Amino acid sequence: MDDRQFRNAMGTFATGVTVITTEVEDGVHGMTANAFMSVSLDPKLVVISIKENAKILSKIQESKTFAVNILTEEQQEVSMIFAGQIKEQREVTFDRLAGQPVVPGAMAQVTCEVSAEHMEGDHTLFIGKVTEIHLQDGNPLLFYKGRFRSLAKESKVVSKF
Ligand code: FAD
């Protein structure tokens, strides 16, 4: 099995898009991620998966906190900024929730304390204990087969079934 086949198979799993944020002494760092899921209701736990060469990895290990910001369909540019897909450096301002930096306008801002860390293959899984949540209205930005999508544009297809 080659890498492309694995990527293509995983790409058929449609997801939302998040920006993971954390803060260390040299400032706030963000990274676009779709490897995110809810793990447990009691206690409230989530998991994110960060590749071994991502700059944010050591920053989360240092801060022992992170926030998951679930993006709206209006925030594709934000996703591209934090995925390194827009080459020029953009100034981004952050809101605060429970003292942690969060992305303004995100549908859900979820602050976490790292409760466990597991290195698996070329990624590290961080289990986050949820400390605070802020919700806003909006439609989610979607990611499917390597492309950004909008629920509004896809809904005509969904409503056929
Ligand atoms: P950098 O490359 O340093 O940061 C990423 C970008 O964010 C840079 O352009 C940087 O300038 C900008 N940035 C960071 N902080 C700030 C700030 N404070 N102000 C302004 N700009 C800032 N990778 C994973 O490991 N796990 C995933 O689950 C994952 N899912 C992805 C889902 C999607 C839809 C996409 C498009 C990418 C995904 N990636 C994922 C890849 C990941 O987003 C990129 O490889 C990213 O560039 C790696 O970030 P980095 O921490 O190495 O930091």
Side-chain angles (χ1 to χ4, degrees):
M1 186 205 316
D2 66 10
D3 290 359
R4 178 43 55 195
Q5 190 182 20
F6 182 77
R7 280 171 183 269
N8 287 348
M10 296 306 114
T12 64
F13 188 59
T15 66
V17 181
T18 79
V19 170
I20 307 300
T21 45
T22 195
E23 186 171 32
V24 288
E25 221 171 83
D26 66 1
V28 177
H29 193 86
M31 191 197 85
T32 299
N34 66 344
F36 159 70
M37 74 171 190
S38 160
V39 171
S40 159
L41 187 61
D42 185 18
K44 293 179 181 53
L45 301 173
V46 298
V47 65
I48 57 170
S49 177
I50 307 290
K51 63 184 174 182
E52 62 188 352
N53 59 353
K55 292 186 191 129
I56 202 168
L57 176 60
S58 60
K59 295 175 193 289
I60 295 175
Q61 286 168 330
E62 187 184 337
S63 69
K64 301 198 178 341
T65 59
F66 63 87
V68 180
N69 302 270
I70 299 176
L71 300 185
T72 70
E73 61 188 6
E74 279 88 36
Q75 293 181 304
Q76 183 175 329
E77 188 173 296
V78 176
S79 166
M80 294 175 73
I81 290 171
F82 289 105
Q85 293 172 336
I86 293 178
K87 287 304 157 208
E88 68 271 21
Q89 188 74 26
R90 300 280 177 92
E91 182 134 351
V92 179
T93 52
F94 296 91
D95 285 344
R96 294 270 160 188
L97 181 66
Q100 290 189 49
V102 289
V103 175
M107 285 183 70
Q109 301 161 333
V110 181
T111 59
C112 302
E113 287 167 359
V114 173
S115 72
E117 180 184 331
H118 306 276
M119 211 208 289
E120 295 293 342
D122 57 11
H123 277 59
T124 296
L125 306 179
F126 289 101
I127 308 291
K129 184 169 183 296
V130 175
T131 51
E132 193 58 83
I133 289 176
H134 181 253
L135 291 171
Q136 295 178 54
D137 283 341
N139 287 320
L141 180 63
L142 303 180
F143 195 69
Y144 175 61
K145 289 192 173 177
R147 288 174 50 198
F148 293 105
R149 316 266 180 156
S150 131
L151 196 58
K153 285 183 194 142
E154 307 295 327
S155 64
K156 282 189 194 132
V157 179
V158 173
S159 63
K160 277 187 187 166
F161 298 97

Short mmCIF file of all heavy atoms in Angstrom, two decimals, residues 36-93:
data_model
loop_
_atom_site.label_atom_id
_atom_site.label_comp_id
_atom_site.label_asym_id
_atom_site.label_seq_id
_atom_site.Cartn_x
_atom_site.Cartn_y
_atom_site.Cartn_z
N PHE A 36 -9.11 15.84 14.78
CA PHE A 36 -9.67 16.26 16.07
C PHE A 36 -10.92 15.44 16.32
O PHE A 36 -11.70 15.20 15.38
CB PHE A 36 -10.05 17.76 15.99
CG PHE A 36 -11.06 18.20 17.00
CD1 PHE A 36 -10.73 18.27 18.35
CD2 PHE A 36 -12.36 18.53 16.63
CE1 PHE A 36 -11.67 18.64 19.30
CE2 PHE A 36 -13.30 18.92 17.58
CZ PHE A 36 -12.96 18.98 18.91
N MET A 37 -11.10 14.99 17.52
CA MET A 37 -12.40 14.38 17.87
C MET A 37 -12.65 14.47 19.37
O MET A 37 -11.73 14.65 20.17
CB MET A 37 -12.50 12.93 17.39
CG MET A 37 -11.71 11.94 18.16
SD MET A 37 -12.15 10.25 17.62
CE MET A 37 -11.30 9.33 18.89
N SER A 38 -13.93 14.34 19.69
CA SER A 38 -14.36 14.26 21.06
C SER A 38 -14.06 12.85 21.57
O SER A 38 -14.25 11.88 20.84
CB SER A 38 -15.86 14.56 21.08
OG SER A 38 -16.44 14.07 22.24
N VAL A 39 -13.58 12.74 22.81
CA VAL A 39 -13.17 11.43 23.35
C VAL A 39 -14.10 10.95 24.46
O VAL A 39 -14.49 9.79 24.50
CB VAL A 39 -11.72 11.51 23.90
CG1 VAL A 39 -11.34 10.24 24.65
CG2 VAL A 39 -10.74 11.75 22.76
N SER A 40 -14.45 11.84 25.38
CA SER A 40 -15.19 11.42 26.58
C SER A 40 -16.08 12.56 27.06
O SER A 40 -15.70 13.74 26.94
CB SER A 40 -14.17 11.03 27.66
OG SER A 40 -14.74 11.08 28.95
N LEU A 41 -17.26 12.20 27.59
CA LEU A 41 -18.19 13.20 28.13
C LEU A 41 -17.91 13.46 29.61
O LEU A 41 -18.04 14.58 30.09
CB LEU A 41 -19.63 12.71 27.91
CG LEU A 41 -20.75 13.68 28.24
CD1 LEU A 41 -20.66 14.95 27.39
CD2 LEU A 41 -22.11 13.01 28.01
N ASP A 42 -17.56 12.40 30.34
CA ASP A 42 -17.31 12.53 31.78
C ASP A 42 -16.05 11.75 32.17
O ASP A 42 -16.13 10.53 32.32
CB ASP A 42 -18.52 12.02 32.56
CG ASP A 42 -18.37 12.25 34.06
OD1 ASP A 42 -17.51 13.09 34.44
OD2 ASP A 42 -19.06 11.58 34.83
N PRO A 43 -14.90 12.40 32.26
CA PRO A 43 -14.67 13.83 32.12
C PRO A 43 -14.69 14.25 30.64
O PRO A 43 -14.59 13.39 29.76
CB PRO A 43 -13.26 14.01 32.71
CG PRO A 43 -12.58 12.71 32.42
CD PRO A 43 -13.64 11.66 32.54
N LYS A 44 -14.78 15.55 30.41
CA LYS A 44 -14.85 16.06 29.03
C LYS A 44 -13.45 16.11 28.43
O LYS A 44 -12.61 16.92 28.84
CB LYS A 44 -15.52 17.42 29.02
CG LYS A 44 -16.97 17.28 29.40
CD LYS A 44 -17.74 18.54 29.46
CE LYS A 44 -19.18 18.23 29.87
NZ LYS A 44 -19.31 17.45 31.11
N LEU A 45 -13.23 15.21 27.47
CA LEU A 45 -11.91 15.08 26.85
C LEU A 45 -12.02 15.15 25.33
O LEU A 45 -13.00 14.66 24.75
CB LEU A 45 -11.27 13.74 27.22
CG LEU A 45 -11.05 13.44 28.70
CD1 LEU A 45 -10.56 12.00 28.89
CD2 LEU A 45 -10.06 14.41 29.33
N VAL A 46 -11.00 15.74 24.71
CA VAL A 46 -10.89 15.74 23.24
C VAL A 46 -9.49 15.26 22.88
O VAL A 46 -8.61 15.18 23.75
CB VAL A 46 -11.14 17.15 22.64
CG1 VAL A 46 -12.55 17.65 22.95
CG2 VAL A 46 -10.09 18.15 23.13
N VAL A 47 -9.28 14.94 21.59
CA VAL A 47 -7.95 14.56 21.15
C VAL A 47 -7.60 15.31 19.87
O VAL A 47 -8.48 15.56 19.04
CB VAL A 47 -7.83 13.03 20.95
CG1 VAL A 47 -8.72 12.52 19.83
CG2 VAL A 47 -6.37 12.62 20.68
N ILE A 48 -6.33 15.70 19.75
CA ILE A 48 -5.80 16.26 18.51
C ILE A 48 -4.55 15.45 18.15
O ILE A 48 -3.94 14.82 19.02
CB ILE A 48 -5.45 17.76 18.62
CG1 ILE A 48 -4.45 18.00 19.77
CG2 ILE A 48 -6.71 18.60 18.81
CD1 ILE A 48 -3.88 19.41 19.80
N SER A 49 -4.19 15.47 16.85
CA SER A 49 -3.04 14.70 16.39
C SER A 49 -2.11 15.65 15.62
O SER A 49 -2.54 16.27 14.64
CB SER A 49 -3.52 13.56 15.48
OG SER A 49 -2.42 12.85 14.97
N ILE A 50 -0.87 15.75 16.07
CA ILE A 50 0.07 16.73 15.52
C ILE A 50 1.29 16.01 14.95
O ILE A 50 1.91 15.19 15.63
CB ILE A 50 0.55 17.71 16.63
CG1 ILE A 50 -0.64 18.35 17.36
CG2 ILE A 50 1.49 18.77 16.05
CD1 ILE A 50 -1.44 19.34 16.58
N LYS A 51 1.63 16.36 13.70
CA LYS A 51 2.76 15.67 13.06
C LYS A 51 4.08 16.06 13.70
O LYS A 51 4.22 17.16 14.26
CB LYS A 51 2.76 15.93 11.55
CG LYS A 51 2.96 17.37 11.16
CD LYS A 51 2.85 17.55 9.66
CE LYS A 51 2.90 19.02 9.29
NZ LYS A 51 2.75 19.25 7.86
N GLU A 52 5.06 15.14 13.58
CA GLU A 52 6.30 15.28 14.36
C GLU A 52 7.11 16.53 14.02
O GLU A 52 7.84 17.03 14.86
CB GLU A 52 7.18 14.03 14.20
CG GLU A 52 7.62 13.78 12.76
CD GLU A 52 8.32 12.43 12.58
OE1 GLU A 52 8.59 11.75 13.58
OE2 GLU A 52 8.59 12.07 11.42
N ASN A 53 6.99 17.05 12.76
CA ASN A 53 7.79 18.21 12.39
C ASN A 53 7.04 19.54 12.51
O ASN A 53 7.54 20.58 12.09
CB ASN A 53 8.38 18.05 10.98
CG ASN A 53 7.30 17.87 9.93
OD1 ASN A 53 6.12 17.74 10.28
ND2 ASN A 53 7.67 17.88 8.66
N ALA A 54 5.83 19.52 13.08
CA ALA A 54 5.07 20.77 13.23
C ALA A 54 5.68 21.60 14.37
O ALA A 54 6.00 21.07 15.43
CB ALA A 54 3.61 20.47 13.51
N LYS A 55 5.79 22.91 14.10
CA LYS A 55 6.39 23.79 15.12
C LYS A 55 5.54 23.84 16.38
O LYS A 55 6.05 24.03 17.48
CB LYS A 55 6.56 25.19 14.55
CG LYS A 55 7.61 25.24 13.45
CD LYS A 55 7.87 26.66 12.98
CE LYS A 55 8.70 26.64 11.71
NZ LYS A 55 8.14 27.44 10.64
N ILE A 56 4.23 23.65 16.21
CA ILE A 56 3.34 23.78 17.37
C ILE A 56 3.52 22.64 18.38
O ILE A 56 3.16 22.78 19.55
CB ILE A 56 1.86 23.87 16.91
CG1 ILE A 56 1.00 24.53 17.99
CG2 ILE A 56 1.31 22.53 16.49
CD1 ILE A 56 -0.39 24.92 17.54
N LEU A 57 4.11 21.54 17.93
CA LEU A 57 4.24 20.35 18.81
C LEU A 57 4.98 20.69 20.11
O LEU A 57 4.47 20.47 21.21
CB LEU A 57 4.95 19.22 18.04
CG LEU A 57 5.25 17.95 18.81
CD1 LEU A 57 3.98 17.30 19.34
CD2 LEU A 57 6.00 16.96 17.92
N SER A 58 6.19 21.27 19.97
CA SER A 58 6.97 21.56 21.18
C SER A 58 6.33 22.68 21.99
O SER A 58 6.50 22.75 23.21
CB SER A 58 8.40 21.94 20.79
OG SER A 58 8.37 23.09 19.97
N LYS A 59 5.57 23.53 21.30
CA LYS A 59 4.93 24.65 22.03
C LYS A 59 3.81 24.12 22.93
O LYS A 59 3.63 24.58 24.05
CB LYS A 59 4.43 25.70 21.03
CG LYS A 59 5.58 26.37 20.28
CD LYS A 59 5.11 27.33 19.21
CE LYS A 59 6.24 27.73 18.28
NZ LYS A 59 7.22 28.63 18.88
N ILE A 60 3.03 23.14 22.42
CA ILE A 60 1.98 22.55 23.27
C ILE A 60 2.63 21.77 24.42
O ILE A 60 2.17 21.81 25.56
CB ILE A 60 1.04 21.64 22.45
CG1 ILE A 60 0.26 22.48 21.42
CG2 ILE A 60 0.07 20.89 23.36
CD1 ILE A 60 -0.61 21.66 20.47
N GLN A 61 3.75 21.10 24.11
CA GLN A 61 4.45 20.36 25.18
C GLN A 61 4.93 21.32 26.27
O GLN A 61 4.94 20.97 27.45
CB GLN A 61 5.62 19.57 24.59
CG GLN A 61 5.15 18.35 23.81
CD GLN A 61 6.23 17.70 22.97
OE1 GLN A 61 7.15 18.36 22.49
NE2 GLN A 61 6.09 16.41 22.73
N GLU A 62 5.31 22.53 25.86
CA GLU A 62 5.79 23.52 26.82
C GLU A 62 4.64 24.16 27.60
O GLU A 62 4.68 24.25 28.83
CB GLU A 62 6.59 24.61 26.07
CG GLU A 62 7.26 25.60 26.97
CD GLU A 62 7.95 26.70 26.18
OE1 GLU A 62 8.30 26.51 24.99
OE2 GLU A 62 8.12 27.79 26.76
N SER A 63 3.59 24.59 26.87
CA SER A 63 2.50 25.32 27.54
C SER A 63 1.56 24.39 28.31
O SER A 63 0.89 24.80 29.24
CB SER A 63 1.68 26.10 26.51
OG SER A 63 0.95 25.20 25.69
N LYS A 64 1.50 23.12 27.85
CA LYS A 64 0.59 22.12 28.43
C LYS A 64 -0.87 22.54 28.31
O LYS A 64 -1.75 22.07 29.06
CB LYS A 64 0.95 21.78 29.88
CG LYS A 64 2.37 21.23 30.01
CD LYS A 64 2.59 20.51 31.30
CE LYS A 64 3.96 19.90 31.48
NZ LYS A 64 4.76 19.70 30.29
N THR A 65 -1.14 23.47 27.39
CA THR A 65 -2.52 23.89 27.10
C THR A 65 -2.66 24.08 25.60
O THR A 65 -1.68 24.34 24.90
CB THR A 65 -2.87 25.23 27.79
OG1 THR A 65 -1.97 26.23 27.32
CG2 THR A 65 -2.83 25.15 29.29
N PHE A 66 -3.90 23.94 25.12
CA PHE A 66 -4.21 24.30 23.73
C PHE A 66 -5.69 24.61 23.64
O PHE A 66 -6.47 24.24 24.53
CB PHE A 66 -3.80 23.19 22.74
CG PHE A 66 -4.53 21.88 22.92
CD1 PHE A 66 -5.75 21.64 22.29
CD2 PHE A 66 -4.00 20.87 23.72
CE1 PHE A 66 -6.42 20.43 22.45
CE2 PHE A 66 -4.67 19.66 23.89
CZ PHE A 66 -5.88 19.43 23.25
N ALA A 67 -6.05 25.33 22.56
CA ALA A 67 -7.47 25.57 22.29
C ALA A 67 -7.79 25.06 20.91
O ALA A 67 -6.96 25.14 20.00
CB ALA A 67 -7.79 27.06 22.40
N VAL A 68 -8.99 24.50 20.76
CA VAL A 68 -9.47 24.04 19.46
C VAL A 68 -10.52 25.05 19.00
O VAL A 68 -11.49 25.32 19.73
CB VAL A 68 -10.12 22.63 19.58
CG1 VAL A 68 -10.61 22.17 18.20
CG2 VAL A 68 -9.13 21.63 20.16
N ASN A 69 -10.30 25.62 17.81
CA ASN A 69 -11.21 26.63 17.26
C ASN A 69 -11.84 26.06 16.00
O ASN A 69 -11.16 25.83 15.00
CB ASN A 69 -10.41 27.89 16.89
CG ASN A 69 -9.67 28.45 18.08
OD1 ASN A 69 -10.19 29.28 18.81
ND2 ASN A 69 -8.43 27.99 18.31
N ILE A 70 -13.15 25.77 16.07
CA ILE A 70 -13.84 25.15 14.93
C ILE A 70 -14.32 26.26 13.99
O ILE A 70 -15.10 27.14 14.39
CB ILE A 70 -15.00 24.27 15.42
CG1 ILE A 70 -14.43 23.16 16.33
CG2 ILE A 70 -15.77 23.67 14.23
CD1 ILE A 70 -15.45 22.25 16.97
N LEU A 71 -13.81 26.22 12.74
CA LEU A 71 -13.98 27.34 11.83
C LEU A 71 -15.33 27.33 11.11
O LEU A 71 -15.91 26.26 10.86
CB LEU A 71 -12.87 27.34 10.78
CG LEU A 71 -11.43 27.45 11.31
CD1 LEU A 71 -10.45 27.54 10.14
CD2 LEU A 71 -11.25 28.64 12.25
N THR A 72 -15.80 28.52 10.74
CA THR A 72 -17.00 28.67 9.92
C THR A 72 -16.60 28.69 8.45
O THR A 72 -15.43 28.87 8.11
CB THR A 72 -17.74 29.98 10.22
OG1 THR A 72 -16.95 31.07 9.70
CG2 THR A 72 -17.98 30.18 11.70
N GLU A 73 -17.62 28.56 7.59
CA GLU A 73 -17.35 28.56 6.15
C GLU A 73 -16.78 29.92 5.68
O GLU A 73 -16.22 30.00 4.61
CB GLU A 73 -18.60 28.19 5.35
CG GLU A 73 -19.76 29.13 5.55
CD GLU A 73 -21.04 28.63 4.91
OE1 GLU A 73 -21.07 27.49 4.40
OE2 GLU A 73 -22.02 29.40 4.92
N GLU A 74 -16.95 30.95 6.50
CA GLU A 74 -16.36 32.27 6.14
C GLU A 74 -14.87 32.33 6.49
O GLU A 74 -14.22 33.33 6.19
CB GLU A 74 -17.06 33.41 6.89
CG GLU A 74 -18.38 33.86 6.27
CD GLU A 74 -19.55 33.05 6.80
OE1 GLU A 74 -19.53 32.70 8.00
OE2 GLU A 74 -20.46 32.75 6.01
N GLN A 75 -14.36 31.30 7.12
CA GLN A 75 -12.98 31.37 7.64
C GLN A 75 -11.98 30.50 6.88
O GLN A 75 -10.96 30.10 7.43
CB GLN A 75 -12.97 31.01 9.13
CG GLN A 75 -13.71 32.05 9.98
CD GLN A 75 -13.69 31.72 11.45
OE1 GLN A 75 -14.11 30.63 11.84
NE2 GLN A 75 -13.20 32.63 12.26
N GLN A 76 -12.26 30.27 5.59
CA GLN A 76 -11.30 29.48 4.80
C GLN A 76 -9.92 30.15 4.76
O GLN A 76 -8.89 29.49 4.83
CB GLN A 76 -11.82 29.27 3.37
CG GLN A 76 -10.88 28.39 2.56
CD GLN A 76 -11.41 28.07 1.19
OE1 GLN A 76 -12.61 27.97 0.99
NE2 GLN A 76 -10.51 27.90 0.24
N GLU A 77 -9.93 31.50 4.68
CA GLU A 77 -8.64 32.20 4.64
C GLU A 77 -7.87 32.01 5.94
O GLU A 77 -6.64 31.83 5.92
CB GLU A 77 -8.87 33.69 4.36
CG GLU A 77 -7.56 34.42 4.12
CD GLU A 77 -7.77 35.86 3.69
OE1 GLU A 77 -8.35 36.06 2.61
OE2 GLU A 77 -7.38 36.76 4.44
N VAL A 78 -8.60 32.00 7.06
CA VAL A 78 -7.95 31.76 8.36
C VAL A 78 -7.30 30.38 8.35
O VAL A 78 -6.15 30.20 8.77
CB VAL A 78 -8.99 31.86 9.51
CG1 VAL A 78 -8.35 31.52 10.85
CG2 VAL A 78 -9.63 33.23 9.54
N SER A 79 -8.03 29.41 7.83
CA SER A 79 -7.50 28.04 7.74
C SER A 79 -6.24 28.02 6.90
O SER A 79 -5.25 27.35 7.24
CB SER A 79 -8.57 27.13 7.13
OG SER A 79 -8.00 25.91 6.76
N MET A 80 -6.26 28.75 5.78
CA MET A 80 -5.09 28.76 4.88
C MET A 80 -3.89 29.45 5.54
O MET A 80 -2.75 29.02 5.38
CB MET A 80 -5.47 29.40 3.55
CG MET A 80 -6.49 28.56 2.78
SD MET A 80 -7.09 29.34 1.29
CE MET A 80 -5.67 29.18 0.23
N ILE A 81 -4.16 30.51 6.30
CA ILE A 81 -3.07 31.21 7.00
C ILE A 81 -2.36 30.24 7.95
O ILE A 81 -1.15 30.10 7.94
CB ILE A 81 -3.61 32.43 7.80
CG1 ILE A 81 -4.07 33.53 6.85
CG2 ILE A 81 -2.56 32.95 8.79
CD1 ILE A 81 -4.82 34.67 7.52
N PHE A 82 -3.15 29.49 8.73
CA PHE A 82 -2.56 28.63 9.76
C PHE A 82 -2.15 27.26 9.23
O PHE A 82 -1.67 26.42 9.98
CB PHE A 82 -3.50 28.53 10.96
CG PHE A 82 -3.59 29.80 11.75
CD1 PHE A 82 -4.69 30.64 11.67
CD2 PHE A 82 -2.52 30.20 12.55
CE1 PHE A 82 -4.76 31.82 12.38
CE2 PHE A 82 -2.57 31.39 13.27
CZ PHE A 82 -3.69 32.21 13.18
N ALA A 83 -2.33 27.06 7.92
CA ALA A 83 -1.79 25.85 7.28
C ALA A 83 -0.54 26.20 6.47
O ALA A 83 0.00 25.34 5.77
CB ALA A 83 -2.84 25.21 6.39
N GLY A 84 -0.13 27.46 6.53
CA GLY A 84 1.05 27.89 5.77
C GLY A 84 0.78 27.95 4.28
O GLY A 84 1.70 27.91 3.46
N GLN A 85 -0.51 28.06 3.88
CA GLN A 85 -0.86 28.09 2.45
C GLN A 85 -0.89 29.52 1.90
O GLN A 85 -1.10 29.70 0.70
CB GLN A 85 -2.22 27.40 2.22
CG GLN A 85 -2.15 25.91 2.51
CD GLN A 85 -3.50 25.23 2.48
OE1 GLN A 85 -4.53 25.87 2.69
NE2 GLN A 85 -3.51 23.93 2.24
N ILE A 86 -0.77 30.51 2.80
CA ILE A 86 -0.66 31.90 2.35
C ILE A 86 0.73 32.33 2.75
O ILE A 86 1.08 32.32 3.93
CB ILE A 86 -1.75 32.78 2.98
CG1 ILE A 86 -3.11 32.33 2.45
CG2 ILE A 86 -1.50 34.25 2.70
CD1 ILE A 86 -4.30 33.09 3.01
N LYS A 87 1.53 32.64 1.76
CA LYS A 87 2.97 32.78 2.01
C LYS A 87 3.34 34.02 2.82
O LYS A 87 4.16 33.96 3.72
CB LYS A 87 3.77 32.73 0.69
CG LYS A 87 3.82 31.33 0.10
CD LYS A 87 4.40 30.29 1.10
CE LYS A 87 3.96 28.88 0.76
NZ LYS A 87 3.88 27.97 1.89
N GLU A 88 2.68 35.17 2.51
CA GLU A 88 3.06 36.38 3.25
C GLU A 88 2.51 36.29 4.69
O GLU A 88 1.40 35.77 4.90
CB GLU A 88 2.60 37.67 2.55
CG GLU A 88 1.12 37.91 2.48
CD GLU A 88 0.46 37.30 1.24
OE1 GLU A 88 1.04 36.38 0.64
OE2 GLU A 88 -0.63 37.73 0.91
N GLN A 89 3.31 36.77 5.63
CA GLN A 89 2.94 36.75 7.06
C GLN A 89 1.74 37.67 7.28
O GLN A 89 1.74 38.81 6.82
CB GLN A 89 4.13 37.20 7.91
CG GLN A 89 3.95 37.06 9.41
CD GLN A 89 4.06 35.60 9.88
OE1 GLN A 89 4.70 34.77 9.25
NE2 GLN A 89 3.40 35.31 10.99
N ARG A 90 0.68 37.19 7.88
CA ARG A 90 -0.49 38.01 8.20
C ARG A 90 -0.53 38.28 9.69
O ARG A 90 -0.25 37.37 10.49
CB ARG A 90 -1.79 37.30 7.81
CG ARG A 90 -1.92 36.95 6.34
CD ARG A 90 -2.37 38.17 5.54
NE ARG A 90 -2.42 37.84 4.12
CZ ARG A 90 -3.50 37.40 3.49
NH1 ARG A 90 -4.63 37.24 4.14
NH2 ARG A 90 -3.46 37.15 2.21
N GLU A 91 -0.94 39.50 10.03
CA GLU A 91 -1.14 39.80 11.46
C GLU A 91 -2.50 39.27 11.88
O GLU A 91 -3.51 39.59 11.25
CB GLU A 91 -1.06 41.31 11.69
CG GLU A 91 -1.21 41.63 13.14
CD GLU A 91 -0.17 42.65 13.64
OE1 GLU A 91 0.78 42.97 12.90
OE2 GLU A 91 -0.36 43.10 14.76
N VAL A 92 -2.53 38.43 12.87
CA VAL A 92 -3.80 37.87 13.34
C VAL A 92 -3.97 38.27 14.81
O VAL A 92 -3.03 38.14 15.59
CB VAL A 92 -3.79 36.33 13.23
CG1 VAL A 92 -5.11 35.74 13.74
CG2 VAL A 92 -3.54 35.88 11.79
N THR A 93 -5.16 38.78 15.12
CA THR A 93 -5.42 39.09 16.53
C THR A 93 -6.26 37.97 17.12
O THR A 93 -7.07 37.35 16.43
CB THR A 93 -6.16 40.43 16.69
OG1 THR A 93 -7.31 40.40 15.86
CG2 THR A 93 -5.29 41.61 16.31
#
